[in-house]
C-alpha cells in the first residue's frame, strides 16, 4: 500500500539556519505530494504541493521538488525563523483516489 | 472569512458516554473528512463524505458514526464502542474528492479526553 516516510525528529535549529526535512514515499502511479504544517494547538495548514514529477512547490520561503526517480519530496528552507517552529507533515494522494496518506510528522524547534 | 470551524476546542467525556464533535465549513466544498491524530503519529482517516447524504468509512471507522444532512456540516459522533477515544480530531474539506481541486483544508481541531 501507499506509505510516506519522514525523517524522525525532533529537529532543533538556530535562527537563520538551513532546514531540510526528508520525505520519501511508496505509491503506484503518479501521486500528488503535499507538505502540511501544524502550529502548536492548531489544525493543519497546507504549506505547498506538487502534482507531477519535477514540479517545485514553494510558499513562505519553503520549497520542495517532486523527484520521481528517488521517490522523494524533501522540504527545505534557507533561513528559518522562530515562527517556523511547528510540526511538518508530508503526505501523498494517488490520482483518482480520495485518501491522503500522511507521514508521522517532524517536529521542528527554532531557537533565537 | 471562509473557513472550517470545529467546536468545541476541548472536550471531556466520561467512559461509556457518546459525544458529538461539530464541523462546519462555508467554503462551499462538496467533500468533507474526519481524521484522528495521536501523539507522534500521522493522521488517520475515520470517515469521508463526497456529497450530502452520502459518506464512506475510512481506515479506522469502528466506534464512530457520522451524518451529512447539509453540505456545510459533517458532525462526528464518538460512541462508547470506541475503545481508545482520547485523541485530537481534525475535520477537513475539499472542493471534490478526486481531481485537480482535491486539496484538503483543515479545521483547528477538537481535543477529546476521556476521563
Amino acid at each position: 500500500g501507499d506509505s510516506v516516510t519522514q525523517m524522525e525528529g525532533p529537529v532543533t535549529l538556530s535562527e537563520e539556519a538551513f532546514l531540510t526535512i526528508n520525505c520519501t514515499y511508496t505509491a503506484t502511479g503518479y501521486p500528488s505530494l503535499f507538505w502540511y504544517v501544524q502550529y502548536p494547538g492548531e489544525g493543519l495548514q497546507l504549506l505547498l504541493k506538487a502534482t507531477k514529477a519535477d514540479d517545485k512547490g514553494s510558499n513562505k520561503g519553503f520549497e520542495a521538488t517532486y523527484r520521481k526517480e528517488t521517490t522523494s519530496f524533501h522540504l527545505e528552507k534557507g533561513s528559518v525563523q522562530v515562527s517556523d517552529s511547528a510540526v511538518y507533515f508530508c503526505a501523498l494522494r494517488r490520482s483518482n483516489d480520495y485518501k491522503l496518506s500522511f507521514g508521522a510528522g517532524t517536529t521542528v524547534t527554532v531557537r533565537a | 472569512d471562509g473557513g472550517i470551524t470545529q467546536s468545541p476546542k476541548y472536550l471531556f467525556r466520561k467512559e461509556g458516554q457518546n459525544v458529538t464533535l461539530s464541523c462546519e465549513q462555508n467554503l462551499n466544498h462538496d467533500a468533507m473528512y474526519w481524521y484522528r491524530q495521536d501523539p507522534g503519529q500521522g493522521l488517520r482517516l475515520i470517515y469521508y463524505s463526497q456529497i450530502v447524504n452520502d459518506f464512506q468509512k475510512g481506515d479506522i471507522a469502528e466506534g464512530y458514526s457520522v451524518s451529512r444532512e447539509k453540505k456545510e456540516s459533517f458532525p462526528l459522533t464518538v460512541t462508547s464502542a470506541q475503545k481508545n477515544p482520547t485523541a485530537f480530531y481534525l475535520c477537513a474539506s475539499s472542493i471534490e474528492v478526486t481531481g485537480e481541486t482535491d486539496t484538503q483544508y483543515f479545521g483547528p481541531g477538537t481535543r477529546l479526553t476521556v476521563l
Side-chain angles (χ1 to χ4, degrees), chain A residues 30-34 50-52 66 91-95 100, chain B residues 102:
Chain A
Y30 297 89
S32 295
L33 301 173
F34 305 83
T51 58
K52 59 184 186 293
Y66 189 142
L92 72 81
R93 190 192 59 76
R94 278 190 283 153
S95 301
L100 271 176
Chain B
D102 64 332

Side-chain angles (χ1 to χ4, degrees), chain A residues 36-83:
Chain A
Y36 283 87
V37 58
Q38 184 178 35
Y39 298 104
E42 298 184 8
L44 274 66
Q45 299 177 23
L46 178 65
L47 184 58
L48 53 84
K49 72 175 187 178
T51 58
K52 59 184 186 293
D54 299 325
D55 267 2
K56 178 185 283 189
S58 61
N59 186 27
K60 299 182 181 180
F62 290 90
E63 293 183 340
T65 301
Y66 189 142
R67 300 288 188 199
K68 180 69 175 174
E69 64 276 13
T70 54
T71 62
S72 65
F73 192 54
H74 305 323
L75 183 68
E76 296 181 338
K77 185 173 186 181
S79 177
V80 294
Q81 305 300 313
V82 172
S83 57

Side-chain angles (χ1 to χ4, degrees), chain A residues 36 38 41 49 93 98-99, chain B residues 37 59 97 102-104:
Chain A
Y36 283 87
Q38 184 178 35
K49 72 175 187 178
R93 190 192 59 76
Y98 66 91
K99 184 178 175 180
Chain B
Q37 183 181 17
D59 297 323
V97 171
D102 64 332
T103 299
Q104 293 182 24

Side-chain angles (χ1 to χ4, degrees), chain B residues 65-90:
Chain B
S65 65
V66 293
S67 63
R68 187 84 187 278
E69 297 176 1
K70 298 186 296 183
K71 185 175 185 176
E72 59 270 24
S73 179
F74 191 41
L76 173 74
T77 297
V78 185
T79 75
S80 57
Q82 169 48 235
K83 291 182 173 54
N84 184 21
T86 295
F88 191 48
Y89 290 87
L90 289 157

Side-chain angles (χ1 to χ4, degrees), chain B residues 34-49:
Chain B
W34 274 106
Y35 291 89
R36 170 183 171 134
Q37 183 181 17
D38 293 284
Q41 297 188 34
L43 279 67
R44 293 181 291 168
L45 183 66
I46 305 172
Y47 268 97
Y48 74 103
S49 168

